Amino acid sequence: MGLLEDLSQRVSAAFAAEGLAAELGQVRLADRPDLAQFQCNGALAAAKAQGVNPRELATRLAQRLENDPLLARIAVAGPGFINLDVRDAELQSRLRMQLRSALLGAPQTAAGRLAMLDFGGPNVAKPMHVGHLRSSIIGDCLQRLFRANGWRVISDVHLGDWGLQMGQLISEVQIRGLAPVYFDARHEGPYPAVSPVSMDDLEALYPAAAAACKADPARLEAARLATAELQAGRPGYRALWQHFVRVSEEGLTREFSSLGVHFDEWKGESDADPLIGDMIADLKRRGLAVLSEGALVMAVAEPGDKKEIPPLLLLKSDGAVLYGTTDLATILARVSRQDPDLILYIVDQRQHVHFEQVFRAARKADLVRKAQLEHAGFGTMNGPDGKPFKTRAGGVMKLYELIAMAKDEALKRLAEAGLAADYGDDERAEIARKVGIAAIKFADLSNHRTTDYVFDLDRFMRFEGKTGPYLQYAAVRIQSILRKAATAELEEESAHVLDSVEERALMLQLLLLGEAMASAEERRAPNILCDYAFELAQRFSRVYAARHILAEEDHSVRVARLELARLTLAVLTKVLDLLGIEVPARM
RNA sequence: GUCGCCGUAGCUCAGUAGGAUAGAGCACGAGAUUCCUAAUCUCGGGGCCACAGGUUCGAAUCCUGUCGGCGACACCA
């Protein structure tokens, strides 16, 4: 049980004993750390409801807590706040238990429930740019967090491989005459095993095709036709498409692994295709899918809607499917194969209405069983002008360019600090990689998930202050201390109770890991973990500056501080791991 | 037009199941290293929480309106 939870239970019991609602006993961190460690505001609400004096009520409640062995101090303050401090010895013994437990205080919220996380969502033929950072990094953080909290997790990259852009590419290849055999209707037998296009080709073809379709309605029509024919199963198109997908996957795998982002499944929109025929027939039979303006749609409006929710389009008038169709069929596939408790989509906030449509359709058609469907949207990454981020040259910055820049910056920093010389090239490069990635991830994750934010290159290249490298640096310093400490002392337990303000502040923060993880999961909010980690590193740095560890002469004090250092390292490393950040041995 | 999100320090952002003196990082100013990595630490200035009403003992937080920004609104994803 987490410390806040424990305190809340105790205070709740006091409320109950006064005949009041136990929920009012919720304890939280004090707003005024100078006055107390924790506080409960429930007496104010209770007094209001009962029409009694809040201070008197708070005083009665406080009296009931006076003999609690966990508490060092109970005080009534202000209009009726109940302020609480925990005994130092209690803090320390709880910390010891936390260090011994493999979970380090991770809350087991899930009890083995299964969550499927859908994120990444890169498109075939489109290289990943900085805009793909958010989905990948947030999704990866959430899958790490959910696993740590006891969920079974299946993550799926859900490749964009079945929509109009495939038709755009196919028709572009046809017009350029790059691979005529795939367009020869009389061709029989197998198609070439080697792709006619490379990743570089695709990167050039796609923007050209998209631009052409935008400018010329006839080109767009050709792309639509090609899309429909691909989906209908035209062999040459399928073969060509297969090459696009394979070539793209190679590039994408490289990008994701350089970010340290892992997926359990590499499925895509197209994997839902085999289910679509039966699904649509079934929806028609049940009268859920009807023709409207030549398209097959499913109404999803509900009586209480403030806003008109348009029907979900299942089939266009030319018979092609849309991403709503594949999303719906994908739910069907996931539910029938894995029967998850939760399907969580980490996708751009702008697609919120789309998911509302799909989720409603899925529930209406009774496809979900026990699965909760949820869209965890994220805000757009904008440039300084408030519009989606572009490089100075006007193009979109590629992800690998951003990573390379961060690494170079980290290398430069190492050189400036004079640390580069004695490390060896490999280690130096590895440190620069970890530091650069940390800077990028932390800068992104520390923003609140749902709000748009301004992409500031300098911020991603910064290593001081509230940054990923600051956290790594704190961990590295601890590692360095532990390496230098006598091994025998690392095994010992000290009877000394640490009681300096800096150490107490650090211990309190360490004990709140579980609360931070639970809260981050509940709100699907990595920035909560970022704030927790930064606060933790900062409190350690204060201890580091104020309380020398290795030079401490009193053996039992030294050992107690070493224990605290070990626990800090364990917790910090854990949170960084949840954020997808690795800690180098030194930096 | 309808609906949704947002407006907090010079900049970038936290903080909303109502609570005490609204926070952080950067930038700016002043300090700290005979000692565990100065990618650090300490101190300081800096705010009509867009604006106007309302509810409340109490509002950045809840309600209404105004202004401003962004986004979504059926055959793209």
Side-chain angles (χ1 to χ4, degrees), chain A residues 20-62:
Chain A
L20 301 166
E23 303 85 70
L24 292 168
Q26 191 64 46
V27 171
R28 41 185 268 184
L29 283 177
D31 292 330
R32 296 277 307 269
D34 52 319
L35 298 182
Q37 296 167 356
F38 302 95
Q39 69 183 66
C40 172
N41 300 343
L44 292 164
K48 189 176 184 175
Q50 309 260 315
V52 299
N53 183 306
R55 272 198 74 102
E56 281 173 18
L57 178 57
T59 305
R60 282 210 303 279
L61 289 160

Side-chain angles (χ1 to χ4, degrees), chain A residues 117-122 131-132 134-136 138-139 142 156-158 323 327 334 344-355 359 374-380 449-450:
Chain A
L117 268 57
D118 186 315
F119 63 95
H132 290 101
R134 303 224 76 196
S135 178
S136 307
I138 294 171
L142 291 179
D156 180 5
V157 72
H158 202 66
Y323 79 137
D327 277 349
R334 288 172 176 163
L344 186 61
Y345 297 80
I346 297 95
V347 181
D348 195 314
Q349 187 66 37
R350 286 174 297 188
Q351 295 191 30
H352 191 72
V353 177
H354 163 75
F355 282 110
F359 294 169
E374 184 182 336
H375 173 216
F378 54 83
T380 321
R449 174 170 55 78
T450 57

Side-chain angles (χ1 to χ4, degrees), chain A residues 272-474:
Chain A
D273 181 60
L275 296 170
I276 287 176
D278 285 349
M279 179 182 82
I280 284 181
D282 179 54
L283 293 175
K284 275 185 183 166
R285 191 166 50 240
R286 292 155 64 193
L288 292 171
V290 294
L291 281 172
S292 166
E293 298 171 35
L296 187 71
V297 308
M298 183 165 167
V300 294
E302 288 170 8
D305 289 348
K306 273 191 191 164
K307 166 201 176 185
E308 196 183 336
I309 303 278
L312 182 69
L313 262 81
L314 295 170
L315 292 179
K316 300 199 287 184
S317 19
D318 65 7
V321 304
L322 290 153
Y323 79 137
T325 327
T326 55
D327 277 349
L328 192 60
T330 300
I331 290 173
L332 181 62
R334 288 172 176 163
V335 167
S336 65
R337 281 199 348 259
Q338 286 120 333
D339 196 22
D341 298 274
L342 169 69
I343 306 179
L344 186 61
Y345 297 80
I346 297 95
V347 181
D348 195 314
Q349 187 66 37
R350 286 174 297 188
Q351 295 191 30
H352 191 72
V353 177
H354 163 75
F355 282 110
E356 184 61 35
Q357 289 175 286
V358 172
F359 294 169
R360 286 180 177 202
R363 287 192 289 257
K364 194 172 172 184
D366 206 15
L367 304 179
V368 297
R369 282 192 220 163
K370 64 182 175 182
Q372 176 193 343
L373 304 175
E374 184 182 336
H375 173 216
F378 54 83
T380 321
M381 184 190 267
N382 293 324
D385 56 356
K387 287 183 237 164
F389 179 76
K390 298 270 198 310
T391 60
R392 278 174 293 277
V396 175
M397 181 182 283
K398 304 268 177 57
L399 195 50
Y400 67 80
E401 291 171 337
L402 179 68
I403 295 173
M405 286 169 76
K407 270 197 255 187
D408 288 348
E409 199 63 33
L411 272 179
K412 212 159 84 188
R413 184 56 192 258
L414 277 175
E416 282 168 8
L419 294 164
D422 56 326
Y423 277 25
D425 289 348
D426 287 351
E427 186 183 357
R428 206 183 318 149
E430 187 57 11
I431 293 169
R433 185 185 71 78
K434 286 175 179 166
V435 170
I437 294 284
I440 291 171
K441 286 190 175 178
F442 194 87
D444 190 281
L445 290 174
S446 54
N447 286 293
H448 184 84
R449 174 170 55 78
T450 57
T451 49
D452 295 350
Y453 76 98
V454 175
F455 176 86
D456 177 1
L457 191 56
D458 293 341
R459 188 170 161 222
F460 282 62
M461 301 299 138
R462 192 172 291 154
F463 304 142
E464 289 100 28
K466 191 173 180 181
T467 65
Y470 173 87
L471 303 178
Q472 291 172 313
Y473 183 68

